[in-house]
Amino acid sequence: MNDAATHRTVAGRRETVAPRRMAHLGRAEALRLLGTVSLGRIVFTQQALPAIRPVNHLLDGDDIIIRLHDGATLASVVAPTDTDGVVVAYEADVIDSDTHLGWSVVVTGYAHRVTDAEELARFAARLRPWVDTPVTNAALRIRPDLVTGLRLTV
């Protein structure tokens, strides 16, 4: 093969990299790995088209929590509190660019705005913005329905 996944260039020489295998992760392991990182990508619908935004997160049990701020694109996609929520996907991974080893997790579920003041304060204390944004005053809770993950191994 002649692709980047099976070859790499080191000191001007092209070296063969061992083929990679994908091992599927169970739900518990996938969520555990998701909890080891703080950055991911949320996938949602904006003006009837798919949109993706990088965000930081934390896990609250199995739920994914993302902080929102005034004027955020994500704030506009959150369903009213009396509905089932809006379907979104969330993805995070750690894949080494040299070895092509690591893992990737995708969660699909319903997103709800967090409205409880105590919960918001607890999340604000644990989840720091990763970019300079206006005041964060809301949070989004994603309840995982479908959790898939894979580990790339030699």
Side-chain angles (χ1 to χ4, degrees):
M1 287 183 137
N2 203 15
D3 62 23
T6 58
H7 294 86
R8 67 178 172 201
T9 303
V10 176
R13 291 188 343 243
R14 192 163 169 86
E15 294 182 356
T16 301
V17 176
R20 302 297 173 246
R21 299 179 199 273
M22 288 193 313
H24 292 277
L25 301 171
R27 178 185 177 98
E29 177 66 0
L31 288 172
R32 185 193 70 74
L33 288 169
L34 189 62
T36 66
V37 297
S38 62
L39 294 174
R41 290 156 292 285
I42 186 168
V43 182
F44 58 98
T45 303
Q46 183 179 26
Q47 298 176 356
L49 296 171
I52 302 170
R53 295 289 184 278
V55 293
N56 61 336
H57 72 272
L58 60 82
L59 287 186
D60 184 45
D62 286 352
D63 294 348
I64 301 162
I65 306 298
I66 300 167
R67 286 182 70 189
L68 304 175
H69 60 83
D70 284 334
T73 301
L74 292 175
S76 66
V77 302
V78 179
T81 55
D82 60 342
T83 66
D84 288 338
V86 175
V87 174
V88 298
Y90 193 80
E91 190 269 345
D93 55 50
V94 174
I95 299 175
D96 184 274
S97 62
D98 290 329
T99 65
H100 299 212
L101 299 175
W103 57 267
S104 179
V105 171
V106 177
V107 172
T108 305
Y110 287 97
H112 303 271
R113 183 181 293 269
V114 175
T115 57
D116 181 79
E118 287 182 20
E119 278 191 314
L120 286 170
R122 182 168 54 95
F123 299 147
R126 294 178 50 208
L127 185 57
R128 300 285 181 230
W130 64 286
V131 294
D132 187 22
T133 61
V135 175
T136 54
N137 57 1
L140 181 68
R141 177 185 297 276
I142 303 169
R143 301 231 162 160
D145 186 31
L146 178 62
V147 178
T148 59
L150 58 93
R151 185 179 302 276
L152 298 169
T153 62
V154 176

